[in-house]
Amino acid sequence: VGFDINCGVRLIRTNLTEDQVTGQVREDLAQALFDHIPVGVGQKGVIPMTMKDLDDVLYMGMDWALREGYAWPEDREHCEENGRMLMADPSKVSKRAKKRGVTQLGTLGAGNHYAEVQVIDEIYDTAAAGRMGLHQKGQVCLMIHSGSRGLGHQVATDALVQMETAMARDKIETNDRQLSSARINSKEGQDYLASMSAAANFAWANRSCMTYLARRAFAKTFDKAPEEMDMHLVYDVSHNIAKIERHEVDGVVKSLLVHRKGSTRAFPPHHPMVPVDYQFTGQPVLIGGTMGTCSFVLVGTDQGMVETFGSTCHGAGRALSRNASRRKLKHEDVLQSLKDKGICIRVASPKLVTEEAPESYKDV
């Protein structure tokens, strides 16, 4: 499922409105988020962590964050898989992967990862939006996009090596090394599912810790408790993950290992895996835009279950490669364009904004 296992996005609502986040307040909020949430390649986190703690994170996922006070009880209900893959086995994660991850909990990373303050621009289904606590145009929300950091990348790297051996043994051929695979019931396949699940749990705990830090940043800026600002999690979805699910194939319900790489789960109303709050609307589906375009909140449908195993896209795809973006764009021009649109930005390195400029992506 790629190198950034359980890269995903979550949406946190507030009861603030756009007119409360203007001028200097907007600058202060952007700076508070930047100060609270570590960003950048290899950046270390502020969440205290030992190797024993890390094993608990890999095993428990969001349940660890809840136990340690970094998440609210209701956050867990509004997260895919309740924020925990039960197949996780920390012993299948290498020492090198753990060493990379032990200092990175609660960090955003680089690339296309972001913590973005957003405003509701349009509501198309008032009933569904209302169930999510998204009530009016101009309502302020926060979207966080990140994954399993260096730990997940190392888990994927380790698996590639193991799977190459399995492919030679089982005579599996692909045209790209990164399409390496193993039979599900082989030792390599089972080991990968266990280590991937552990990395997925790390990613959910990571986003939970960033939510904790973001709530503190809002509290500092507005001098209110996060509860007072109704900073509840709307939903958290994964973009890179594989899970065993029940789906109908040719009229027969089967257990399938569904791989979603660069795609989002989109389950319909009344599905048993959809939270109670969303049983009548369907699972919230979060589609991230670029720094200069809108993101979207959708819901899963019955048609999607039939056509795509309950899956959809995960965001705006790239129109230019990162190298092409660096060659074609100047970071000063991108920053000025965003400023002209009223978009306030904080980045670890200004030059990196060219890679993630709106022009580098397709219109979502």
Side-chain angles (χ1 to χ4, degrees):
V1 296
F3 283 97
D4 195 359
I5 296 167
N6 192 8
C7 181
V9 65
R10 60 171 43 194
L11 183 69
I12 299 112
R13 70 184 189 229
T14 77
N15 57 16
L16 301 170
T17 54
E18 185 176 11
D19 58 3
Q20 294 174 279
V21 191
T22 58
Q24 190 58 44
V25 175
R26 183 180 61 184
E27 295 288 338
D28 291 346
L29 179 58
Q31 190 61 46
L33 287 166
F34 189 70
D35 291 341
H36 279 75
I37 302 175
V39 301
V41 177
Q43 186 65 39
K44 294 183 179 180
V46 296
I47 306 297
M49 182 69 47
T50 65
M51 281 297 181
K52 171 63 171 65
D53 294 328
L54 180 60
D55 277 347
D56 288 347
V57 169
L58 297 177
Y59 181 65
M60 298 174 67
M62 260 185 88
D63 285 344
W64 178 89
L66 181 60
R67 185 189 76 183
E68 298 298 318
Y70 296 118
W72 294 353
E74 52 269 37
D75 290 350
R76 184 178 175 276
E77 304 302 319
H78 287 180
C79 185
E80 188 172 331
E81 298 296 319
N82 289 324
R84 181 178 186 178
M85 293 282 279
L86 299 178
M87 298 174 66
D89 183 350
S91 71
K92 301 300 183 182
V93 177
S94 69
K95 289 182 179 179
R96 182 179 175 89
K98 290 179 181 179
K99 186 176 180 180
R100 292 181 67 179
V102 71
T103 62
Q104 291 191 326
L105 197 68
T107 64
L108 192 65
N112 63 356
H113 293 167
Y114 57 79
E116 183 175 87
V117 180
Q118 303 176 339
V119 172
I120 295 177
D121 187 57
E122 191 64 68
I123 296 176
Y124 299 96
D125 185 333
T126 53
R131 289 299 301 167
M132 301 176 200
L134 308 176
H135 296 296
Q136 60 178 323
K137 293 182 184 180
Q139 183 177 342
V140 172
C141 299
L142 175 70
M143 186 173 279
I144 296 175
H145 175 213
S146 188
S148 50
R149 306 292 282 112
L151 183 142
H153 192 282
Q154 190 63 47
V155 167
T157 302
D158 294 340
L160 281 175
V161 175
Q162 295 165 5
M163 287 186 179
E164 282 185 343
T165 302
M167 290 171 68
R169 180 192 68 217
D170 297 336
K171 296 181 173 54
I172 301 172
E173 296 182 4
T174 65
N175 58 6
D176 188 327
R177 179 175 178 267
Q178 292 189 17
L179 294 177
S180 293
S181 57
R183 301 191 188 283
I184 296 170
N185 292 322
S186 67
K187 181 182 184 301
E188 294 82 5
Q190 289 297 304
D191 284 353
Y192 176 69
L193 287 176
S195 60
M196 179 212 69
S197 296
N201 286 346
F202 181 91
W204 277 313
N206 188 37
R207 290 197 288 275
S208 294
C209 289
M210 281 188 283
T211 300
Y212 166 79
L213 296 170
R215 285 167 172 159
R216 292 185 64 179
F218 269 77
K220 177 184 177 182
T221 304
F222 295 98
D223 196 24
K224 293 181 179 180
E227 294 87 348
E228 197 178 342
M229 290 181 282
D230 192 38
M231 293 191 70
H232 288 283
L233 179 64
V234 175
Y235 205 65
D236 180 302
V237 294
S238 306
H239 292 159
N240 297 334
I241 202 163
K243 292 184 294 188
I244 296 173
E245 298 173 355
R246 301 281 286 173
H247 290 276
E248 187 175 314
V249 181
D250 297 329
V252 179
V253 177
K254 297 183 177 181
S255 290
L256 305 176
L257 183 60
V258 180
H259 292 62
R260 295 189 178 94
K261 170 68 182 81
S263 66
T264 306
R265 194 185 76 175
F267 280 176
H270 312 301
H271 192 283
M273 296 300 291
V274 172
V276 171
D277 290 344
Y278 303 133
Q279 276 290 305
F280 292 106
T281 63
Q283 175 209 309
V285 178
L286 310 176
I287 310 295
T290 71
M291 290 189 288
T293 57
C294 291
S295 298
F296 291 85
V297 182
L298 315 176
V299 289
T301 65
D302 289 312
Q303 184 178 357
M305 289 298 287
V306 174
E307 295 183 356
T308 63
F309 300 107
S311 309
T312 187
C313 67
H314 83 296
R318 293 198 72 93
L320 295 173
S321 69
R322 286 186 166 85
N323 286 334
S325 296
R326 286 195 296 269
R327 289 195 304 269
K328 186 175 180 180
L329 305 170
K330 294 182 179 179
H331 72 272
E332 298 93 344
D333 294 340
V334 176
L335 290 172
Q336 187 60 50
S337 174
L338 293 171
K339 186 177 180 180
D340 292 342
K341 293 177 181 178
I343 297 171
C344 175
I345 185 172
R346 297 288 189 279
V347 291
S349 170
K351 293 184 179 180
L352 293 178
V353 298
T354 56
E355 298 179 9
E356 305 305 324
E359 297 90 332
S360 299
Y361 285 86
K362 303 168 189 173
D363 187 346
V364 68

